[in-house]
């Protein structure tokens, strides 16, 4: 896989049982790139390690006053230099390719998982953690995947050089061959502590990212209540904790780096001292001494990759663990489905609560607990957070339909819908039946003032449909965002439309017009609205009260508000004292009517 071939047609099914297993799975899926990087790495490292032998041969040729050998050695050095440059260039190219392709595979996997889970993802994993995994964690995972091949090439080169030195000059070669493994494993006792500190730093950084994400998302509210400084102080404390953890982690890695410099230096001192002793005795030549010394000095370069792979694994392991945790999340229902991909039609029925939404009718659902309402809305859309009895559409369980078919059949609009950046035309360019146009949907959602605001904010746009919408619609008010999201849902024209508090941020006059527009536009289609607004409830064909997970009352708004105290308490926001007083007054009215009749 090359960079120009991205994205992957199919990123595969990851092994998300643990962080190390996920890293191993990524490596196995990039064997071609790993072998190419290994080949170029071997060429580069072996060529670099061959330079000391060339230098030793040149020195010995000068000592022996052999011009022919000196010329041959010079030609050999030119060839080795070309191999060094060629190997380094293509090693870097393949390593970066491995890094980018591994990161792209992880990002595709995360995007696919987010698409499958939908809103259930942020209910099970904090939004800040999802952001951290899809940004910084992806880079660290890619770093380890591409570093494996370079480390392997460096390790093989070290072994080859040790064998060559033993064969070339056994007396000094044995010393080097015995010392290099010590250098390679000297830092191993420090790695567990360094890894723990890196994990702790990553945990602190993740918490700071989550706090920053939550603060940015709620910035408008924070400004309204004057809580900016409070949350700023919290983020300052969180960032200081990250800084302290990073300093402690850096100290440990600096000790490891110092050891990686100190021990090779001591080995070189020992080799030179022993080599000079052997040279005085005439047991080795000057050229052989220079070759061995230069080889030890050059080997510090591939030995550096031992430290890098340790760092890469230490930083990538917690990142891979977090990514595997997100990728291991599964829907409560199967995404493949066991039925044909035909969109059913008919009544929408939830056996768990007893909620029935007749086909072609506008059903309003009143639920005193907003969180319970959100979970019920997800269930009606075939996205339950937990396993349970399937919702039926026309007698067909949504769980048994393929995921894309279930989503075409039932569309759920969350209470906090997201507007992606782009033009209004792009926002409304969604999969749809084609029977509802953008103008009709915008009119039903009462978006006239929104179009004017967008046109004024985009002076270069002649058509309001070409006006730009900023990220998440932050330049718009809450009510304007709600209405644009409602228009987008109306354009899709699904068989069943489920709206969760679609007008909670809209004034009463606009809300009344929206209620009429939605009812008219969705005539003959099944619509379910979760709301406690009397304006919407009064327009509904059927009103259902759900209390503690069960349907407790069914009727129309004007009947229920007089006959059901629970319904009245939710809709009118009555307190317990007011509800009790209202009940007493109702009883007095009934007694008075009886007396008058008598």
């Amino acid at each position: 896989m090359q960079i120009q071939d991205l994205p992957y047609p199919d990123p595969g099914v990851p092994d998300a049982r643990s962080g190390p297993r996920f890293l191993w799975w990524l490596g196995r899926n990039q064997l071609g790139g790993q072998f190419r990087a290994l080949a170029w790495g071997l060429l580069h490292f072996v060529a670099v390690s061959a330079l000391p032998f060339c230098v030793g041969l040149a020195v010995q040729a000068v000592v022996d006053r052999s011009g022919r050998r000196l010329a041959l050695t010079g030609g050999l050095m030119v060839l080795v230099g070309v191999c060094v440059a060629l190997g380094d260039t293509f090693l870097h190219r393949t390593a970066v390719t491995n890094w980018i392709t591994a990161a792209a595979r992880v990002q595709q996997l995360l995007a696919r998982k987010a698409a499958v889970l939908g809103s259930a993802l942020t209910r099970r994993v904090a939004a800040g953690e999802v952001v951290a995994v899809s940004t910084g964690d992806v880079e660290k995972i890619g770093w380890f995947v591409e570093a494996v091949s370079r480390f392997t090439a460096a390790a093989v080169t070290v072994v080859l050089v040790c064998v060559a030195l033993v064969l070339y000059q056994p007396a000094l070669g044995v010393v080097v061959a015995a010392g290099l493994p010590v250098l390679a494993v000297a830092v191993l006792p420090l790695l567990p502590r360094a890894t723990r500190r890196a994990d702790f730093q990553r945990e602190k950084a993740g918490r700071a990212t989550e706090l920053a994400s939550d603060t940015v998302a709620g910035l408008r509210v924070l400004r309204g209540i004057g809580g900016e400084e409070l949350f700023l102080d919290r983020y300052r404390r969180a960032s200081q904790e990250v800084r302290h953890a990073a300093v402690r982690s850096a100290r440990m890695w600096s000790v490891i780096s110092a050891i990686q410099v100190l021990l090779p230096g001591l080995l070189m001192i020992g080799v030179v001292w022993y080599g000079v002793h052997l040279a005085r005795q005439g047991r080795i030549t000057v050229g052989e001494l220079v070759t061995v010394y230069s080889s030890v000095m050059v080997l510090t370069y591939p030995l550096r990759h031992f430290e890098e792979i340790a760092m890469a694994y230490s930083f990538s392991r917690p990142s891979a663990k977090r990514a595997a945790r997100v990728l291991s999340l599964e829907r409560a229902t199967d995404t493949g489905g066991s039925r044909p991909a035909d969109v059913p039609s008919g009544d929408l029925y939830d056996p768990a609560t007893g909620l029935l939404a007749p086909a072609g009718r506008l059903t309003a659902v009143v639920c005193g607990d907003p969180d319970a309402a959100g979970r019920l809305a997800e269930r009606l859309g075939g996205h339950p957070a937990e396993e349970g009895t399937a919702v039926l559409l026309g007698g067909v369980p949504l769980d048994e339909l393929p995921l894309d078919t279930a989503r075409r059949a039932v569309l759920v609009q969350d209470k906090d819908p997201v507007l992606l950046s782009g033009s209004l035309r792009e926002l409304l360019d969604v999969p749809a039946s084609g029977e509802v146009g953008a103008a009709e949907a915008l009119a039903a959602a009462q978006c006239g003032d929104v179009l004017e605001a967008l046109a004024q904010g985009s002076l270069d746009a002649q058509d309001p449909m070409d006006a730009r919408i900023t990220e998440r619609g932050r330049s718009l008010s809450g009510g304007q965002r709600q209405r644009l999201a409602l228009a987008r849902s109306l354009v899709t024209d699904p068989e069943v439309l489920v709206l969760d508090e679609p007008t909670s941020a809209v004034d009463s006059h606009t809300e009344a017009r929206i209620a009429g527009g939605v009812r008219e536009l969705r005539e003959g289609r099944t619509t379910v609205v979760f709301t406690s607004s009397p304006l919407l409830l009064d327009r509904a064909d059927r009103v259902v009260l759900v209390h503690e997970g069960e349907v407790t009352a069914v009727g129309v708004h004007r009947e229920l508000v007089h006959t059901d105290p629970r319904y009245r308490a939710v809709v009118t926001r009555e307190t317990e004292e007011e509800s009790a007083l209202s009940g007493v007054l109702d009883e007095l009215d009934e007694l008075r009517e009886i007396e008058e009749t008598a």
Side-chain angles (χ1 to χ4, degrees):
M1 173 64 71
Q2 297 299 317
I3 296 177
Q4 62 265 25
D5 298 326
L6 294 174
Y8 288 95
D10 180 11
V13 180
D15 185 350
R17 288 176 290 177
S18 66
R21 287 178 182 271
F22 180 59
L23 292 174
W24 174 249
W25 177 84
L26 281 175
R28 285 191 292 108
N29 279 270
Q30 290 189 255
L31 288 180
Q34 295 288 353
F35 281 127
R36 284 193 294 271
L38 176 60
W40 290 115
L42 283 174
L43 176 64
H44 174 63
F45 290 127
V46 171
V48 169
S49 301
L51 285 173
F53 291 91
C54 297
V55 172
L57 292 175
V59 170
Q60 192 61 41
V62 171
V63 172
D64 296 341
R65 299 179 182 277
S66 174
R68 180 173 174 276
R69 279 192 293 157
L70 184 61
L72 290 175
T73 304
L76 182 60
M77 292 183 70
V78 171
L79 178 61
V80 170
V82 171
C83 292
V84 169
L86 192 65
D88 188 31
T89 300
F90 284 94
L91 172 62
H92 178 74
R93 180 186 178 90
T94 53
V96 171
T97 299
N98 287 339
W99 188 335
I100 293 176
T101 52
R105 187 187 295 274
V106 177
Q107 287 179 326
Q108 281 188 248
L109 291 170
L110 291 171
R112 185 174 67 179
K113 181 60 66 174
V116 169
L117 292 176
S119 60
L121 176 61
T122 52
R123 291 183 181 272
R124 300 165 70 178
V125 180
E129 184 172 351
V130 177
V131 173
V133 170
S134 58
T135 53
D137 286 341
V138 166
E139 294 185 4
K140 292 179 176 62
I141 292 171
W143 175 29
F144 174 76
V145 171
E146 69 88 11
V148 169
S149 54
R150 289 189 289 111
F151 162 73
T152 305
V156 172
T157 301
V158 169
V159 173
L160 292 176
V161 171
C162 289
V163 173
L165 287 177
V166 171
L167 297 176
Y168 177 73
Q169 177 43 250
L172 284 177
V174 171
V175 175
V176 175
L180 285 178
V182 176
L183 299 184
V185 302
V187 297
L188 289 182
L190 299 178
L191 288 181
R193 181 178 297 179
T195 302
R196 286 194 298 270
R197 292 190 179 186
D199 290 352
F200 184 72
Q201 176 196 352
R202 189 68 193 82
E203 180 184 351
K204 291 294 184 181
R207 291 178 180 175
T209 302
E210 292 175 14
L211 180 60
S213 176
D214 293 341
T215 302
V216 171
L219 190 58
R220 187 187 297 268
V221 177
L222 292 177
R223 286 175 176 171
I225 62 176
E228 297 168 88
E229 288 300 323
L230 173 63
F231 276 80
L232 184 59
D233 289 340
R234 291 182 182 178
Y235 184 74
R236 285 197 186 103
R237 290 195 296 271
S239 62
Q240 287 301 312
E241 291 178 358
V242 174
R243 183 179 68 84
H244 290 309
V247 169
R248 293 184 70 248
S249 179
R251 285 173 181 168
M252 183 56 63
W253 287 111
S254 65
V255 170
I256 293 175
S257 298
I259 292 175
Q260 291 285 335
V261 174
L262 175 64
L263 294 184
L266 294 177
L267 179 60
M268 282 191 290
I269 292 173
V271 167
V272 171
W273 178 84
Y274 185 55
V276 170
H277 176 70
L278 293 178
R280 284 179 176 178
Q281 294 179 349
R283 297 171 57 185
I284 64 172
T285 64
V286 174
E288 291 174 337
L289 175 61
V290 172
T291 298
V292 176
Y293 167 75
S294 301
S295 297
V296 175
M297 183 175 62
V298 169
L299 281 178
T300 58
Y301 171 52
L303 281 175
R304 281 286 180 181
H305 289 78
F306 286 72
E307 176 190 352
E308 183 191 7
I309 195 66
M311 291 183 64
Y313 180 73
S314 298
F315 282 101
S316 66
R317 188 175 65 85
S319 297
K321 180 180 178 181
R322 292 160 67 97
R325 177 172 174 248
V326 175
L327 295 175
S328 64
L329 297 176
E330 296 292 341
R331 283 174 49 86
T333 58
D334 182 21
T335 59
S338 57
R339 288 179 176 266
D342 297 327
V343 178
S345 61
D347 297 343
L348 183 68
Y349 178 65
D350 178 24
T353 59
L355 174 61
L356 173 66
R361 308 287 294 278
L362 173 59
T363 301
V365 180
V366 176
C367 188
D369 184 355
D371 291 334
R375 291 191 295 270
L376 179 54
E378 289 182 355
R379 278 184 50 79
L380 294 180
H383 317 302
E386 300 176 354
E387 293 185 5
T389 307
V391 173
L392 306 177
L393 177 59
V396 177
L398 290 179
D399 294 357
E400 297 180 7
L401 292 174
L403 180 60
D404 57 346
T405 303
R407 287 182 172 175
R408 287 200 308 271
V410 183
L411 173 65
V412 179
Q413 177 180 303
D414 295 336
K415 66 181 65 178
D416 186 21
V418 175
L419 303 181
L420 301 180
S421 59
S423 67
L424 179 57
R425 192 184 309 278
E426 293 170 340
L427 175 70
L428 300 179
D429 184 17
V430 293
S433 66
E435 297 183 8
V436 178
E440 297 175 88
L442 290 170
Q446 302 299 311
C447 294
D449 63 316
V450 183
L451 296 179
E452 294 178 4
L454 289 174
Q456 293 175 359
S458 301
L459 300 179
D460 56 338
Q462 300 298 326
D463 187 345
M465 294 295 291
D466 296 324
R468 303 295 296 179
I469 298 175
T470 57
E471 179 191 5
R472 298 179 67 91
R474 297 190 188 281
S475 60
L476 303 173
S477 67
Q480 290 173 330
R481 287 198 299 272
Q482 273 192 338
R483 282 178 280 165
L484 284 181
L486 176 59
R488 179 178 58 187
S489 299
L490 293 174
V491 165
T492 61
D493 190 35
E495 183 70 25
V496 178
L497 177 60
V498 179
L499 304 172
D500 188 5
E501 294 289 353
T503 58
S504 58
V506 178
D507 63 83
S508 58
H509 297 289
T510 305
E511 187 177 33
R513 295 195 297 270
I514 290 175
V518 170
R519 181 181 176 85
E520 181 180 351
L521 191 63
R522 292 288 299 173
E523 185 71 30
R525 292 287 203 181
T526 307
T527 307
V528 180
V529 182
F530 285 81
T531 183
S532 58
S533 168
L535 294 171
L536 288 177
L537 294 170
D538 195 41
R539 291 278 187 162
D541 299 313
R542 176 186 175 92
V543 178
V544 179
L545 174 64
V546 177
H547 180 70
E548 295 183 354
E550 293 183 358
V551 172
T552 58
V554 178
V556 294
H557 169 64
R558 300 195 180 191
E559 289 180 1
L560 293 175
V561 78
H562 292 293
T563 60
D564 195 301
R566 290 176 180 170
Y567 180 84
R568 182 170 56 246
V570 174
V571 173
T572 63
R573 274 73 169 179
E574 283 184 346
T575 63
E576 294 182 1
E577 292 79 4
E578 292 173 337
S579 179
L581 178 59
S582 177
V584 171
L585 293 176
D586 289 341
E587 291 180 0
L588 291 176
D589 289 338
E590 291 178 2
L591 291 174
R592 188 178 297 110
E593 290 177 1
I594 293 173
E595 290 176 356
E596 291 176 354
T597 303

